[in-house]
Each structure stands twice: as C-alpha cells, then as structure tokens.
Amino acid sequence: MRKNPEHFVWLAAFWIAVYLLLTALPLFLLLFSPAPSPRGFWRDFSAALGFAGLAMMMLQFALTARLQTVKAPFGSDLVYHFHRQISQVAFGLILAHPLILFVTTPSTVSLLKFWNAPWRARFAVAALAILIVQVGSSIWRRQLRLDYDRWRFWHGVLASAAVVLGLLHMMKVGHFVNLPWKRSLWLSYGALWVGLLAYVRLLKPWLALRQPYEVVAVNAERGQAWSLTLRAKGHHGLRFNPGQFAWLTLWHSPFLAKDHPFSFSASAERPELLRFTIKELGDFTATIKQAVPGQLAWLDGPHGAFSVDRYPHAPGYVFIAGGIGITPMMSMLHTLADRRDPRPLLLLYANRDLDSITFREEIEQLAPRLNLRVAHVLDRPPENWTGESGFINDAVLQRQLPEEFTDLDYFICGPPPMMNAVEQLLLRRGIPFGQIHTERFNLV
C-alpha cells in the first residue's frame, strides 16, 4: 500500500485537470455552431455565470462521495475544505446571474412575483431561495446549534432540490440548450449526479452490510476518551495505512447515513482487529462507552492521506500531537513497532496536565520497541515536573528537535490553533513545506 509520493503528485494534477475541464466544458460546448442569437453582453454574461455555477454545484456531489481514488492525492480534509470554499464560489456565481439581470434590465425584477411569474422564473426563484437556506445553514451551523445528523440529511436534500430546479429553469429558458445534444450534455451531468447519489446512499451501505464488525471491547482512556475495539466478522478485515481513518456506523443501519469519522489508533498490520479512540465531546461520541461486546458496527474506509506510508523514504519522523490528536500518531507508532522500523522518531505531545495524557502508559510501553524519544508538554505541570511546560513554541522546538531536523518528515494533529502555530514555527525554522503533514479533520 506504500506508494512513491510522485505517484500522488501526478494523480493530483490529473484530478485537478478533470475538475477544471468538467466545470468549463458546458460553457464552451453551448457556444458551438449553430450558436444561439446574441441577446446582449450582460444578459449572455449572466447566463454564463449561471451555467458555471450550476456545473460546479453538480460536481460538488463528486467531492463528497468519498471516492478514495479522487481523495487519495489530497487527503479528505483538504477535499472537504475545497468543497466548502468552492460551494460559496458557486453560490456567488449563481446569485450574480439574476442580480446582473435586475441591474441591466430592471423589468426582470417583476419575475420575483412568484405566483404571477412564468414557470422558468418560478424554478429559478425557488432554486435560489433553497440555496440561500442551504449555504446559510452550512456556514452558521454551529452558531445555530443545528444537530449534525439532521443538518447533514437536509443539506443533501436541499442541494438535490436546488440542482433539479436549476436544471428545470435552464430547460424552460432553452436559449443556450436549444438543440438535443446540448440538452443531453446537461442531462449527462444530471446522470452523474444521480449515479453518485445511488453510489453513496445505496451501493456503499450495501457493501458495508456485507462486511460487518463486532465490538470486542470498550476501554476508558485518559483525557475523557474511549477506545472501541472491533473484530472483522466473517471476512478478513480492512487494510489501511497507519494514520488513516474510517467512517463508523454504530447503533444504526448504514443506509441511514449516521456515520462519523474517526482515526484508527492501532497497528495497520492487524487488519482484522481495529481500534478507534474517541474523545467524549457530546452527541454521538458520548454514546461510545455504552457499546457492548458482540454489538455490530460497520465501516466505510479507509480514507485520508495522513500517514508515514505516503513518505516511506524519509530518514525519520517527528510526531507533534495535541490532546486526542494523538490517535493517528498511535496507529503510526504501533505499525512502525510491528515492522521493527529502526529509524529515529520523536513524539512531542501537548496536554493540559498529566492526567490528560491519553495513552500515557501505552506510549511508555511502546517506546522500547522503537527508536523513539518522547517529550510531553504540559500546560499545567505538577510540582517537581522536569519536562516541558506551557505550549509547543519555538523554544520547545529548539530544545527538542534533533540536529538533522530539516531532513525529517513532520506529522501534526491537534486543536487548530496549535496546528497553525506549530506549522508556522516549522516553516520559519526552514522545514520544507512538503515535509510538513497535517490532519485537520474538519469534515463537516
């Protein structure tokens, strides 16, 4: 499963080119001969923005379909970040379409009178209203305190409704889709969207049901975390790269789309026995401790690009973790130990206090099996503490990093402020950007 990093560079370039092509393709093909008669620059320009925005909206389904081949060169967190940002761009393009018409042709404002307007305008107004609700609820979900599972369900429903209404609006206007092959182009985009929905909502849950797991144990960890151990039931388990994650379904059927992403925290060398370590933060995470041995669970994975296996030729690794961000690091450390990897390793682990150090004893037991040095950094150290205190800052890095620190690969996972600060510190110390790897795990 370990591949040369150049493989992912070429794969990333390929998928970027595919995305740009699919976004721009409708704009170019709709102008092919016989081209429709011009209606004025601003009117045609506004239509072009609408076409581009709708194409981008439809491609959003591909970004969230958990296609491992697509996400492999980027990592899931980067793809989801792009999804969030580009959705706002698409919304801006779609919103600009009617605004330009209202400014340049004031008479079109009358189309907002929903019940008196023609159907092409009704479809457009309804689509835009739904998009406003969808985008607003996504941006301010936490401020609105929307339940994640309900929001996720309605997010998909609203997106689907907006796309359908947008297509109906386009077909009813008909100016740039006045030929059968042009309408077929957009219908093919629709077919891609329907196919992705069927893949995510039907095929993937069905595949998950065919490979169930059963709970073996639920163990309390330091730092208000719980380790959930699963055993493959009737199959050989799940092959993954250390540091990756999977979407876990517990208590519900996979068809209900109530799964949540968690990092593996045990060795990748035992695919039949998997462990997830989950911090109790409320909602779903608070139910993990209630799982009982023999209970069924289902997985969708593996996902993610945060792994030492992506950089097999590095002379050594530095792991910088904060709080529960230690979980993917533990998977990598256990795997390297099982492989008897002799390379030098450094773990900088920041926590609030001594009792908050998740896996404290496990790390101590693991260290003799590796060429590993561990440095704990405590915000509230106990009396007579001789280790690092405060936060991971430049002074801590200067004391702890080895002499040849610019040759090593760095893995960072923890609270976003810590990750941002540490990443900047490493860059200022001359670490090449390509040797710094982060797992931000913000997938919603």
Side-chain angles (χ1 to χ4, degrees):
M1 298 178 71
R2 284 173 274 184
K3 295 182 179 179
N4 192 303
E6 292 183 2
H7 165 81
F8 295 105
V9 172
W10 287 108
L11 193 57
F14 170 77
W15 285 119
I16 291 172
V18 168
Y19 181 84
L20 294 174
L21 175 64
L22 291 177
T23 301
L25 187 62
L27 294 177
F28 290 113
L29 294 186
L30 292 175
L31 295 175
F32 272 29
S33 179
S37 59
R39 300 175 299 175
F41 171 79
W42 286 111
R43 190 171 181 181
D44 287 344
F45 179 66
S46 73
L49 296 182
F51 281 125
L54 184 59
M56 293 167 69
M57 280 288 297
M58 299 180 82
L59 290 175
Q60 291 290 75
F61 291 93
L63 298 177
T64 57
R66 303 181 197 170
L67 301 172
Q68 295 180 26
T69 304
V70 174
K71 293 185 177 181
F74 309 102
S76 295
D77 53 349
L78 184 59
V79 172
Y80 276 89
H81 178 74
F82 177 75
H83 166 76
R84 289 188 293 271
Q85 300 303 315
I86 205 67
S87 65
Q88 296 179 43
V89 174
F91 174 70
L93 294 176
I94 292 171
L95 182 62
H97 168 51
L99 291 180
I100 290 174
L101 292 178
F102 295 159
V103 171
T104 59
T105 312
S107 61
T108 56
V109 176
S110 63
L111 296 175
L112 292 177
K113 298 177 180 178
F114 190 83
W115 298 114
N116 297 323
W119 276 105
R120 66 178 187 277
R122 293 183 188 181
F123 291 140
V125 171
L128 187 58
I130 289 172
L131 275 181
I132 291 173
V133 173
Q134 189 214 25
V135 173
S137 64
S138 300
I139 294 176
W140 295 293
R141 180 178 68 84
R142 289 184 173 87
Q143 291 86 336
L144 296 171
R145 298 182 179 179
L146 299 177
D147 175 76
Y148 169 72
D149 286 327
R150 288 196 182 94
W151 167 82
R152 183 177 164 193
F153 171 79
W154 284 108
H155 183 76
V157 170
L158 293 174
S160 300
V163 166
V164 170
L165 290 168
L167 284 172
L168 290 173
H169 165 68
M170 178 196 308
M171 297 299 177
K172 290 294 286 184
V173 172
H175 184 70
F176 284 99
V177 288
N178 55 340
L179 296 174
W181 71 267
K182 293 184 178 182
R183 289 191 289 271
S184 297
L185 169 68
W186 281 101
L187 291 176
S188 67
Y189 275 68
L192 172 64
W193 159 60
V194 171
L196 288 171
L197 282 179
Y199 171 74
V200 171
R201 299 302 184 194
L202 298 176
L203 179 59
K204 294 201 81 173
W206 178 74
L207 292 174
L209 283 175
R210 289 169 56 89
Q211 294 190 317
Y213 294 79
E214 61 179 354
V215 175
V216 175
V218 182
N219 299 314
E221 305 283 1
R222 294 181 183 272
Q224 295 181 307
W226 297 85
S227 283
L228 178 72
T229 303
L230 305 177
R231 179 188 292 116
K233 186 175 182 179
H235 57 97
H236 298 296
L238 183 65
R239 285 284 178 186
F240 64 95
N241 291 333
Q244 288 189 299
F245 70 94
W247 292 78
L248 169 68
T249 297
L250 196 65
W251 314 108
H252 302 283
S253 164
F255 286 100
L256 295 179
K258 291 182 177 291
D259 49 355
H260 298 263
F262 299 106
S263 294
F264 298 102
S265 62
S267 175
E269 297 298 303
R270 296 194 64 186
E272 79 287 351
L273 195 65
L274 308 175
R275 184 179 71 171
F276 301 91
T277 302
I278 302 162
K279 187 176 179 65
E280 187 173 338
L281 297 172
D283 296 332
F284 175 78
T285 59
T287 68
I288 296 299
K289 60 189 175 186
Q290 300 169 13
V292 296
Q295 182 176 339
L296 291 182
W298 296 272
L299 299 177
D300 175 6
H303 299 282
F306 190 69
S307 176
V308 292
D309 282 2
R310 293 284 293 262
Y311 314 95
H313 304 301
Y317 304 104
V318 175
F319 303 104
I320 304 177
I324 200 61
I326 190 65
T327 52
M329 317 293 194
M330 290 302 294
S331 175
M332 290 187 267
L333 290 173
H334 273 291
T335 303
L336 292 171
D338 287 346
R339 294 173 181 170
R340 300 181 180 179
D341 196 301
R343 285 175 289 184
L345 309 171
L346 169 63
L347 172 62
L348 291 176
Y349 189 13
N351 279 283
R352 182 182 59 194
D353 51 41
L354 202 60
D355 289 333
S356 300
I357 303 177
T358 308
F359 299 121
R360 191 176 83 190
E361 292 79 11
E362 191 171 318
I363 292 171
E364 293 173 357
Q365 297 170 4
L366 191 59
R369 300 176 57 200
L370 293 161
N371 184 6
L372 172 66
R373 182 165 60 86
V374 180
H376 292 289
V377 184
L378 300 181
D379 183 31
R380 301 175 187 174
E383 292 184 12
N384 304 319
W385 173 254
T386 58
E388 299 286 357
S389 59
F391 302 97
I392 299 177
N393 53 31
D394 194 58
V396 170
L397 293 177
Q398 186 173 0
R399 286 190 294 267
Q400 296 296 336
L401 293 183
E403 290 186 8
E404 304 298 328
F405 65 90
T406 56
D407 297 332
L408 306 177
D409 273 54
Y410 291 74
F411 292 84
I412 312 170
C413 188
M418 183 211 84
M419 295 178 63
N420 295 336
V422 171
E423 188 173 18
Q424 291 303 313
L425 289 172
L426 293 175
L427 290 172
R428 286 202 291 269
R429 294 189 70 82
I431 309 298
F433 181 77
Q435 292 171 215
I436 301 174
H437 321 293
T438 59
E439 180 69 283
R440 298 190 180 273
F441 227 74
N442 185 13
L443 304 186
V444 297

